[in-house]
Amino acid sequence: MLIVANWKAYVEDIGKAKKLFAISKRFSKEKGNKIVLAPPAPFLSALTLRNKSNVGFAAQDVSQTTGGAQTGEATAQSYAAVGVKYAIIGHSERRAAGDTDAVIAEKLSHAVAHGLTPILCVGEHERDSEGRYLGFIREELTNALQSLAPKERTRIIIAYEPLWAIGKNAALSIKPNDLIEMVLYIRKVLAELLHGKNAARTLIIYGGAVEPDNIRELAASSRIDGFLVGHASVNPHIFMLLLKQLV
Ligand code: PGA
């Protein structure tokens, strides 16, 4: 299982950041699980530069620009320079702040160019009984991937994050059967965008109200490769409980 802890702007204290990192190091020794932390950018180098563990690090976003006179921007290249290996791109909170599909495609291409593995977030706002949400996901995936070269497309991890689940609790999260349906659907769309066996090899993770109460059931029954965890990844006690469900 790949567990990506998206700290968003919840963690604002370096002591807490170090504590969450220590917990992750402990659990990353368990075989079969890979933990990737996505702290707010200012904490990254304090955590990455002395990292000898197999905990990985992700940027929560990368700039659309490639550097220069761009006050306030943090480029893919600068993240890569401090040991970051992944980049969350197209998170719904960034899309709400103005990231269009075209911007997301550009960010993906910068990330790949600097050796980062993009974690591309897609997810519908709501579910309708006619299944229009499936078309919405297809469009998000196609728009993001079609501008990349075939080889670059194989580098991407897909995070399926329905907006109606984000920030809710386990009881309001997705049900395993609905998640199975979506994983199969995403693989079908990927098969149209990737060559040969690559669609089957792409990692698909789920995010949206993943908590200690539902992670085990979702992991066991939904063919998912991992999780993108928000609020349950920023409280050391709850994060530890969550990780314990997977060992
Ligand atoms: P959540 O957020 O776990 O708090 O629902 C997940 C995400 O937005 O990545």
Side-chain angles (χ1 to χ4, degrees):
M1 284 275 135
L2 170 66
I3 308 299
V4 183
N6 179 10
W7 293 358
K8 308 192 180 189
Y10 286 122
V11 178
E12 296 176 282
D13 153 359
I14 188 74
K16 188 172 179 188
K18 287 184 174 162
K19 201 164 174 179
L20 290 164
F21 180 33
I23 292 169
S24 307
K25 280 197 272 198
R26 234 169 63 216
F27 278 91
S28 69
K29 291 195 188 108
E30 303 289 340
K31 64 172 191 311
N33 289 331
K34 167 84 182 168
I35 301 178
V36 172
L37 302 177
F43 295 147
L44 271 166
S45 53
L47 302 175
T48 56
L49 292 180
R50 269 171 292 153
N51 180 24
K52 291 197 184 64
S53 72
N54 62 8
V55 173
F57 285 90
Q60 292 184 8
D61 187 25
V62 296
S63 177
Q64 185 190 354
T65 72
T66 49
Q70 304 286 350
T71 303
E73 295 293 325
T75 60
Q77 184 167 2
S78 65
Y79 282 112
V82 294
V84 167
K85 300 278 190 247
Y86 301 82
I88 299 173
I89 294 178
H91 190 279
S92 60
E93 287 149 19
R94 300 298 343 142
R95 290 182 192 257
D99 277 13
T100 59
D101 284 350
V103 169
I104 289 163
E106 234 178 311
K107 290 182 172 185
L108 287 173
S109 133
H110 295 330
V112 169
H114 293 287
L116 301 179
T117 298
I119 301 169
L120 168 68
C121 300
V122 296
E124 77 279 8
H125 293 257
E126 56 189 10
R127 289 208 161 196
D128 57 293
S129 51
E130 288 87 51
R132 276 196 291 270
Y133 63 94
L134 295 171
F136 185 83
I137 299 297
R138 168 187 292 273
E139 207 173 298
E140 282 193 334
L141 284 169
T142 308
N143 290 346
L145 295 186
Q146 67 190 0
S147 62
L148 297 176
K151 207 159 172 205
E152 293 175 331
R153 298 180 191 179
T154 64
R155 301 266 314 275
I156 293 181
I157 295 172
I158 308 296
Y160 168 58
E161 295 213 301
L163 274 69
W164 49 264
I166 293 177
K168 302 282 180 3
N169 59 40
L172 297 173
S173 185
I174 199 161
K175 301 289 172 271
N177 278 345
D178 292 336
L179 188 52
I180 294 177
E181 176 200 59
M182 193 47 100
V183 171
L184 294 176
Y185 182 74
I186 290 173
R187 288 218 188 278
K188 189 172 137 220
V189 176
L190 289 176
E192 296 161 15
L193 295 163
L194 301 172
H195 290 314
K197 294 207 173 82
N198 289 317
R201 288 197 194 110
T202 299
L203 295 182
I204 303 177
I205 65 177
Y206 169 77
V210 175
E211 293 186 337
D213 282 349
N214 62 348
I215 193 166
R216 199 200 296 247
E217 189 190 15
L218 291 174
S221 56
S222 67
R223 303 196 192 179
I224 200 82
D225 298 308
F227 298 97
L228 180 49
V229 187
H231 65 272
S233 74
V234 293
N235 173 311
H237 171 70
I238 294 175
F239 190 45
M240 201 141 73
L241 267 181
L242 180 107
L243 295 174
K244 276 187 184 163
Q245 305 302 314
L246 296 174
V247 296

